Amino acid sequence: MPQTPHPNDLTGLYAQMLLVRTYENAIVAGSTAGKVPGTCTSVGQEAAAVGIVNALSGDDLILTNHRSAGHLLARGADPGRLLAEVMGRSDGYCQGMSGSLHISVKELGVVLTSTIVGAELSMATGVALAQQMQGQLGIVACFFGDGAACEGSFHESLNLASLWNLPILYVCENNHWQAFVHRREANSRDHVADWAASYRIPAATVDGNDVSAVLAAARQARETIRETGRPYLLETLTYRTRGHFEPDDQAYVDPAERNAWLARDPITLCRQQLIDSGRLTVATADALAARVEDRIATALAFAENSPYPQPEQMLRHIYA
């Protein structure tokens, strides 16, 4: 497994969050212009994704969901190849056949992206069992949202992981919205982490908009898994500030709630922390943002110049 980027300083984490946000903003702009298919974004959740992934080792495996851009980019995925995949082009990670909702990157340990709510939870136990039976050192990080925690697969997965002592880091990115339904309308608890105790699984809840807090909590969780060989559930409290799917006008969202979370935007908070501590100036922060913009512009040009798959590729990976 090749080495993946692990920034040791807040500036590196900030740069990764900027990359994720800029990448997804490019998708939003492309979708609005009719150049990029509509997809699910994770705008507002960057600290949760970046903090968790940077706590993992190169031997660890990842199973993620339909809001996967942050996990993939933090793991070291090339934004050009990701954009090519979203746009259905041959130079994408899956030759343009997965779109944004099913990307897998074997060389980075990203086993799958699942668009079926909770499906990655069902498969995490099997992947972790395989790791265990083969004597692999890595753990399995399984990302899901608060909506998936309302699925039966969540409880089935936790039950088996506890029973079989599987090295799984369950990561609930609690972003308060389950498609177009607020978590209060579908979830009997405020915290998904509360369910872990029923299965004798340790759990913690962390401010998902504070990248340093997420990184520290995830490192502690991974260390616990390695010491005990048992699963752990980490809940990151964050907020999805764009709609369920692009385009989506979010007419169903309480503006006061959204504005309160926008005031705690993880990238804005991290930028201010870096400036206040003297690690960045306004000028160097702006220069960093400009470099990220240039990188995404280059990635977008790469994707747009990538060819579409040939017709005969439709018959590949088909089993009958």
Side-chain angles (χ1 to χ4, degrees), residues 215-236:
L215 178 63
R219 283 174 171 166
Q220 179 60 55
R222 188 186 185 281
E223 183 179 332
T224 300
I225 294 170
R226 294 305 311 145
E227 288 177 351
T228 65
R230 289 184 50 74
Y232 192 106
L233 194 156
L234 181 59
E235 178 182 23
T236 63

mmCIF file of all heavy atoms in Angstrom, residues 215-236:
data_model
loop_
_atom_site.group_PDB
_atom_site.id
_atom_site.type_symbol
_atom_site.label_atom_id
_atom_site.label_comp_id
_atom_site.label_asym_id
_atom_site.label_seq_id
_atom_site.Cartn_x
_atom_site.Cartn_y
_atom_site.Cartn_z
ATOM 1 N N LEU A 215 -9.175 14.823 14.553
ATOM 2 C CA LEU A 215 -7.937 14.063 14.383
ATOM 3 C C LEU A 215 -7.521 13.397 15.695
ATOM 4 O O LEU A 215 -7.173 12.207 15.717
ATOM 5 C CB LEU A 215 -6.826 14.990 13.892
ATOM 6 C CG LEU A 215 -5.444 14.364 13.702
ATOM 7 C CD1 LEU A 215 -5.466 13.282 12.631
ATOM 8 C CD2 LEU A 215 -4.403 15.433 13.354
ATOM 9 N N ALA A 216 -7.570 14.144 16.798
ATOM 10 C CA ALA A 216 -7.178 13.588 18.093
ATOM 11 C C ALA A 216 -8.102 12.452 18.513
ATOM 12 O O ALA A 216 -7.647 11.408 18.995
ATOM 13 C CB ALA A 216 -7.174 14.690 19.158
ATOM 14 N N ALA A 217 -9.407 12.642 18.330
ATOM 15 C CA ALA A 217 -10.370 11.601 18.707
ATOM 16 C C ALA A 217 -10.208 10.359 17.847
ATOM 17 O O ALA A 217 -10.312 9.226 18.339
ATOM 18 C CB ALA A 217 -11.791 12.153 18.588
ATOM 19 N N ALA A 218 -9.936 10.553 16.566
ATOM 20 C CA ALA A 218 -9.772 9.412 15.660
ATOM 21 C C ALA A 218 -8.490 8.641 15.963
ATOM 22 O O ALA A 218 -8.466 7.411 15.894
ATOM 23 C CB ALA A 218 -9.773 9.895 14.214
ATOM 24 N N ARG A 219 -7.423 9.356 16.316
ATOM 25 C CA ARG A 219 -6.188 8.666 16.695
ATOM 26 C C ARG A 219 -6.393 7.833 17.950
ATOM 27 O O ARG A 219 -5.900 6.699 18.043
ATOM 28 C CB ARG A 219 -5.079 9.689 16.905
ATOM 29 C CG ARG A 219 -4.479 10.226 15.617
ATOM 30 C CD ARG A 219 -3.481 11.338 15.875
ATOM 31 N NE ARG A 219 -2.745 11.697 14.653
ATOM 32 C CZ ARG A 219 -2.012 12.785 14.519
ATOM 33 N NH1 ARG A 219 -1.891 13.630 15.541
ATOM 34 N NH2 ARG A 219 -1.382 13.038 13.384
ATOM 35 N N GLN A 220 -7.127 8.382 18.906
ATOM 36 C CA GLN A 220 -7.412 7.643 20.129
ATOM 37 C C GLN A 220 -8.272 6.412 19.830
ATOM 38 O O GLN A 220 -8.042 5.321 20.372
ATOM 39 C CB GLN A 220 -8.131 8.542 21.134
ATOM 40 C CG GLN A 220 -8.490 7.854 22.449
ATOM 41 C CD GLN A 220 -7.276 7.328 23.184
ATOM 42 O OE1 GLN A 220 -6.331 8.067 23.459
ATOM 43 N NE2 GLN A 220 -7.269 6.039 23.494
ATOM 44 N N ALA A 221 -9.241 6.581 18.952
ATOM 45 C CA ALA A 221 -10.111 5.466 18.583
ATOM 46 C C ALA A 221 -9.316 4.358 17.896
ATOM 47 O O ALA A 221 -9.476 3.172 18.215
ATOM 48 C CB ALA A 221 -11.223 5.968 17.671
ATOM 49 N N ARG A 222 -8.449 4.755 16.955
ATOM 50 C CA ARG A 222 -7.665 3.747 16.245
ATOM 51 C C ARG A 222 -6.724 3.013 17.205
ATOM 52 O O ARG A 222 -6.556 1.794 17.112
ATOM 53 C CB ARG A 222 -6.863 4.385 15.104
ATOM 54 C CG ARG A 222 -6.186 3.343 14.238
ATOM 55 C CD ARG A 222 -5.261 3.930 13.186
ATOM 56 N NE ARG A 222 -4.752 2.857 12.348
ATOM 57 C CZ ARG A 222 -3.764 2.030 12.678
ATOM 58 N NH1 ARG A 222 -3.146 2.180 13.860
ATOM 59 N NH2 ARG A 222 -3.373 1.066 11.865
ATOM 60 N N GLU A 223 -6.128 3.754 18.122
ATOM 61 C CA GLU A 223 -5.226 3.134 19.094
ATOM 62 C C GLU A 223 -5.977 2.128 19.963
ATOM 63 O O GLU A 223 -5.469 1.041 20.255
ATOM 64 C CB GLU A 223 -4.601 4.221 19.971
ATOM 65 C CG GLU A 223 -3.586 3.703 20.974
ATOM 66 C CD GLU A 223 -2.964 4.812 21.801
ATOM 67 O OE1 GLU A 223 -2.879 5.951 21.296
ATOM 68 O OE2 GLU A 223 -2.570 4.540 22.948
ATOM 69 N N THR A 224 -7.186 2.483 20.341
ATOM 70 C CA THR A 224 -8.007 1.574 21.152
ATOM 71 C C THR A 224 -8.321 0.296 20.376
ATOM 72 O O THR A 224 -8.261 -0.812 20.930
ATOM 73 C CB THR A 224 -9.309 2.268 21.578
ATOM 74 O OG1 THR A 224 -8.989 3.433 22.350
ATOM 75 C CG2 THR A 224 -10.184 1.341 22.408
ATOM 76 N N ILE A 225 -8.654 0.445 19.102
ATOM 77 C CA ILE A 225 -8.959 -0.729 18.272
ATOM 78 C C ILE A 225 -7.741 -1.634 18.155
ATOM 79 O O ILE A 225 -7.843 -2.863 18.269
ATOM 80 C CB ILE A 225 -9.450 -0.285 16.876
ATOM 81 C CG1 ILE A 225 -10.788 0.443 16.982
ATOM 82 C CG2 ILE A 225 -9.583 -1.487 15.941
ATOM 83 C CD1 ILE A 225 -11.229 1.124 15.699
ATOM 84 N N ARG A 226 -6.559 -1.040 17.941
ATOM 85 C CA ARG A 226 -5.356 -1.838 17.799
ATOM 86 C C ARG A 226 -4.994 -2.548 19.106
ATOM 87 O O ARG A 226 -4.489 -3.672 19.107
ATOM 88 C CB ARG A 226 -4.170 -0.962 17.342
ATOM 89 C CG ARG A 226 -4.302 -0.385 15.947
ATOM 90 C CD ARG A 226 -4.549 -1.429 14.885
ATOM 91 N NE ARG A 226 -3.620 -2.541 14.966
ATOM 92 C CZ ARG A 226 -3.927 -3.788 14.685
ATOM 93 N NH1 ARG A 226 -5.145 -4.106 14.313
ATOM 94 N NH2 ARG A 226 -3.025 -4.742 14.781
ATOM 95 N N GLU A 227 -5.266 -1.905 20.236
ATOM 96 C CA GLU A 227 -4.946 -2.505 21.535
ATOM 97 C C GLU A 227 -5.904 -3.623 21.906
ATOM 98 O O GLU A 227 -5.494 -4.636 22.486
ATOM 99 C CB GLU A 227 -4.973 -1.433 22.626
ATOM 100 C CG GLU A 227 -3.809 -0.450 22.567
ATOM 101 C CD GLU A 227 -3.921 0.625 23.625
ATOM 102 O OE1 GLU A 227 -4.988 0.706 24.290
ATOM 103 O OE2 GLU A 227 -2.967 1.409 23.781
ATOM 104 N N THR A 228 -7.175 -3.446 21.577
ATOM 105 C CA THR A 228 -8.205 -4.385 22.024
ATOM 106 C C THR A 228 -8.636 -5.380 20.947
ATOM 107 O O THR A 228 -9.176 -6.443 21.264
ATOM 108 C CB THR A 228 -9.450 -3.627 22.497
ATOM 109 O OG1 THR A 228 -10.039 -2.938 21.378
ATOM 110 C CG2 THR A 228 -9.097 -2.622 23.582
ATOM 111 N N GLY A 229 -8.421 -5.014 19.666
ATOM 112 C CA GLY A 229 -8.910 -5.861 18.585
ATOM 113 C C GLY A 229 -10.411 -5.790 18.418
ATOM 114 O O GLY A 229 -11.001 -6.624 17.716
ATOM 115 N N ARG A 230 -11.025 -4.798 19.048
ATOM 116 C CA ARG A 230 -12.479 -4.678 19.013
ATOM 117 C C ARG A 230 -12.914 -3.388 18.323
ATOM 118 O O ARG A 230 -12.120 -2.452 18.168
ATOM 119 C CB ARG A 230 -13.051 -4.734 20.433
ATOM 120 C CG ARG A 230 -12.950 -6.123 21.059
ATOM 121 C CD ARG A 230 -13.603 -6.175 22.440
ATOM 122 N NE ARG A 230 -14.953 -5.625 22.487
ATOM 123 C CZ ARG A 230 -16.036 -6.226 22.002
ATOM 124 N NH1 ARG A 230 -15.920 -7.414 21.414
ATOM 125 N NH2 ARG A 230 -17.232 -5.666 22.099
ATOM 126 N N PRO A 231 -14.196 -3.332 17.922
ATOM 127 C CA PRO A 231 -14.695 -2.149 17.218
ATOM 128 C C PRO A 231 -14.841 -0.926 18.121
ATOM 129 O O PRO A 231 -14.829 -1.041 19.356
ATOM 130 C CB PRO A 231 -16.055 -2.606 16.684
ATOM 131 C CG PRO A 231 -16.484 -3.690 17.624
ATOM 132 C CD PRO A 231 -15.221 -4.389 18.032
ATOM 133 N N TYR A 232 -15.001 0.221 17.471
ATOM 134 C CA TYR A 232 -15.141 1.513 18.165
ATOM 135 C C TYR A 232 -16.040 2.383 17.291
ATOM 136 O O TYR A 232 -15.943 2.348 16.064
ATOM 137 C CB TYR A 232 -13.766 2.152 18.321
ATOM 138 C CG TYR A 232 -13.695 3.342 19.261
ATOM 139 C CD1 TYR A 232 -13.108 3.231 20.513
ATOM 140 C CD2 TYR A 232 -14.188 4.591 18.878
ATOM 141 C CE1 TYR A 232 -13.015 4.324 21.368
ATOM 142 C CE2 TYR A 232 -14.104 5.685 19.725
ATOM 143 C CZ TYR A 232 -13.517 5.545 20.975
ATOM 144 O OH TYR A 232 -13.422 6.627 21.817
ATOM 145 N N LEU A 233 -16.904 3.167 17.930
ATOM 146 C CA LEU A 233 -17.784 4.072 17.179
ATOM 147 C C LEU A 233 -17.440 5.516 17.523
ATOM 148 O O LEU A 233 -17.443 5.900 18.690
ATOM 149 C CB LEU A 233 -19.260 3.802 17.489
ATOM 150 C CG LEU A 233 -20.288 4.448 16.538
ATOM 151 C CD1 LEU A 233 -21.604 3.669 16.566
ATOM 152 C CD2 LEU A 233 -20.576 5.908 16.878
ATOM 153 N N LEU A 234 -17.133 6.303 16.488
ATOM 154 C CA LEU A 234 -16.839 7.720 16.669
ATOM 155 C C LEU A 234 -17.868 8.534 15.895
ATOM 156 O O LEU A 234 -18.020 8.371 14.680
ATOM 157 C CB LEU A 234 -15.428 8.044 16.169
ATOM 158 C CG LEU A 234 -14.970 9.501 16.317
ATOM 159 C CD1 LEU A 234 -15.002 9.942 17.772
ATOM 160 C CD2 LEU A 234 -13.568 9.664 15.733
ATOM 161 N N GLU A 235 -18.568 9.403 16.602
ATOM 162 C CA GLU A 235 -19.589 10.253 15.993
ATOM 163 C C GLU A 235 -19.054 11.675 15.862
ATOM 164 O O GLU A 235 -18.620 12.276 16.848
ATOM 165 C CB GLU A 235 -20.856 10.244 16.845
ATOM 166 C CG GLU A 235 -21.970 11.129 16.314
ATOM 167 C CD GLU A 235 -23.190 11.120 17.225
ATOM 168 O OE1 GLU A 235 -23.022 10.804 18.429
ATOM 169 O OE2 GLU A 235 -24.294 11.430 16.756
ATOM 170 N N THR A 236 -19.065 12.204 14.644
ATOM 171 C CA THR A 236 -18.644 13.577 14.416
ATOM 172 C C THR A 236 -19.887 14.430 14.173
ATOM 173 O O THR A 236 -20.646 14.167 13.239
ATOM 174 C CB THR A 236 -17.693 13.683 13.206
ATOM 175 O OG1 THR A 236 -18.381 13.286 12.012
ATOM 176 C CG2 THR A 236 -16.472 12.800 13.401
#
